């Protein structure tokens, strides 16, 4: 039978969430662009990256296996 992969602990999940926020909404705020980018909201530029897995949900040893599925810039996917 396949081995189950342990999910990150609640503490690890909190660390990952803080790290993601540091490079998204917090970075936008520090640069003075939080009214335009940093979070996904109506009226903001939709610059985002779609990943193959949720980095908060996978185990720590699987983070490096996450791949980029798509990247959107200003609400559009250049792939489409």
């Amino acid at each position: 039978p396949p081995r189950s992969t342990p999910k990150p602990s609640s503490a690890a999940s909190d660390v990952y969430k803080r790290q993601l926020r540091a490079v998204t909404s917090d970075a936008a705020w520090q640069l003075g662009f939080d009214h335009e980018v940093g979070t996904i909201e109506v009226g903001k530029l939709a610059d985002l990256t779609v990943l193959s897995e949720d980095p908060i949900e996978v185990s720590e040893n699987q983070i490096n296996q996450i791949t980029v599925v798509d990247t959107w810039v200003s609400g559009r996917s250049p792939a489409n």
Side-chain angles (χ1 to χ4, degrees):
R3 286 180 27 192
S4 64
T5 304
K7 292 204 173 197
S9 68
S10 177
S13 180
D14 289 343
V15 168
Y16 297 151
K17 288 177 185 177
R18 284 195 305 269
Q19 290 171 337
L20 287 171
R21 193 176 77 203
V23 298
T24 57
S25 60
D26 288 355
W29 178 81
Q30 289 177 341
L31 294 170
F33 293 115
D34 55 315
H35 61 286
E36 294 178 12
V37 297
T39 56
I40 300 174
E41 300 179 52
V42 173
K44 289 191 175 183
L45 299 174
D47 294 349
L48 59 102
T49 302
V50 180
L51 303 175
S52 61
E53 299 286 337
D54 183 344
I56 295 169
E57 295 294 322
V58 301
S59 67
E60 188 174 314
N61 64 348
Q62 291 178 308
I63 294 278
N64 66 342
Q65 297 171 15
I66 295 175
T67 60
V68 174
V69 175
D70 200 2
T71 301
W72 289 62
V73 179
S74 297
R76 297 186 179 179
S77 171
N80 294 329

